[in-house]
Amino acid sequence: MSNISVETRGHVLCIGINRPDKRNAFSLDMYRDMAAAYGRLDRDPELRCGLLFAHGDHFTAGLDLSEWASEFAAGRFPPIDDDAVEPFGLDSDNRLSKPLVVATQGICFTAGIEFMLAGDIRVAADNTRFGQIEIKRGIYPVGGGTIRFIQSIGWGNAMRYLLTGDEISADEAHRMGLIQELTPVGQQFDRAFEIARRVAAQAPLGVQATLKSSRLSLDSGERAAIEKLLPDLIPIMNSEDAREGVQSFVERREAVFKGR
């Protein structure tokens, strides 16, 4: 039985971390199953947004190092299927092209933060405890933490926690911009789903182009992103969604997008 649950709700794919008896610690199989779920989200045109959440009291305590140590010693992540998508989002040629909303609660340590930072919009229950604590295990974050922490909260704030392994409260994470919204415990999934549903209601081609342009700016700089703005808009302007967007504006109504 998989420790990653997958459920479709309208145009949203809900992906659940489901190993609560082990504080949702990630096994190698869980990583592969999550990659498979991301691949499904990426390929299926009916799926427009993902929601990553966790069953039980905690998001995840991180990687199960008893399984992962041999992979890291070999300098690699576990292999995944050809139609899967790498969950840490470190492979630019195999990264999720659709938005991912993340909902956390309880403990969110190490890889949990890196999975969260690989997403796009983050909601946390107010009891969430964040910790990038690899430094306390004699190693350092290799799932994107050293990169995306800096992008999200700046150099000084990132070094404050990366170099000490100190925990970050939900309030402090919210203040620094590590997460976008706080909720009472038990409401994080519903709020994250509402955001995901709102994203999924927008024009899929425009949403994916927005992600692509924003990531290009981070990866290659503002000039590279600027040079692609108008050229990448041309095919979108010829889409049904763009025509529907203009027509809904003229008719003063909500647009209904079909993703083509």
Side-chain angles (χ1 to χ4, degrees), residues 13 15 32-45 47 80-87 94-98:
L13 187 67
I15 303 167
R32 296 186 184 101
D33 288 345
M34 179 182 280
Y38 279 32
R40 175 181 170 185
L41 171 60
D42 208 56
R43 294 190 311 274
D44 189 338
L47 297 173
I80 58 177
D81 293 339
D82 291 341
D83 58 357
V85 170
E86 196 277 297
N94 184 28
R95 187 172 183 184
L96 186 62
S97 64
K98 298 177 183 177

Side-chain angles (χ1 to χ4, degrees), residues 23 53 56 77 93 160 170 195 260:
R23 291 188 172 182
F53 72 103
F77 288 108
D93 294 325
R160 162 70 180 85
I195 293 172
R260 56 180 185 267

Side-chain angles (χ1 to χ4, degrees), residues 7-86:
E7 179 189 2
T8 300
R9 295 192 182 187
H11 294 296
V12 178
L13 187 67
C14 301
I15 303 167
I17 307 168
N18 192 17
R19 197 188 182 194
D21 58 317
K22 297 292 186 180
R23 291 188 172 182
N24 286 329
F26 260 79
S27 66
L28 297 179
D29 283 342
M30 289 171 69
Y31 173 83
R32 296 186 184 101
D33 288 345
M34 179 182 280
Y38 279 32
R40 175 181 170 185
L41 171 60
D42 208 56
R43 294 190 311 274
D44 189 338
E46 291 300 311
L47 297 173
R48 300 181 181 181
C49 187
L51 169 54
L52 178 64
F53 72 103
H55 300 272
D57 295 331
H58 303 288
F59 187 68
T60 177
L63 303 181
D64 187 337
L65 285 179
S66 63
E67 292 193 21
W68 284 75
S70 60
E71 298 291 327
F72 286 157
R76 67 191 180 206
F77 288 108
I80 58 177
D81 293 339
D82 291 341
D83 58 357
V85 170
E86 196 277 297

Side-chain angles (χ1 to χ4, degrees), residues 160-181:
R160 162 70 180 85
Y161 294 102
L162 287 173
L163 297 179
T164 64
D166 287 349
E167 288 188 14
I168 310 170
S169 69
D171 285 336
E172 181 67 359
H174 188 220
R175 184 193 70 79
M176 292 189 296
L178 190 64
I179 56 175
Q180 281 63 65
E181 291 196 25

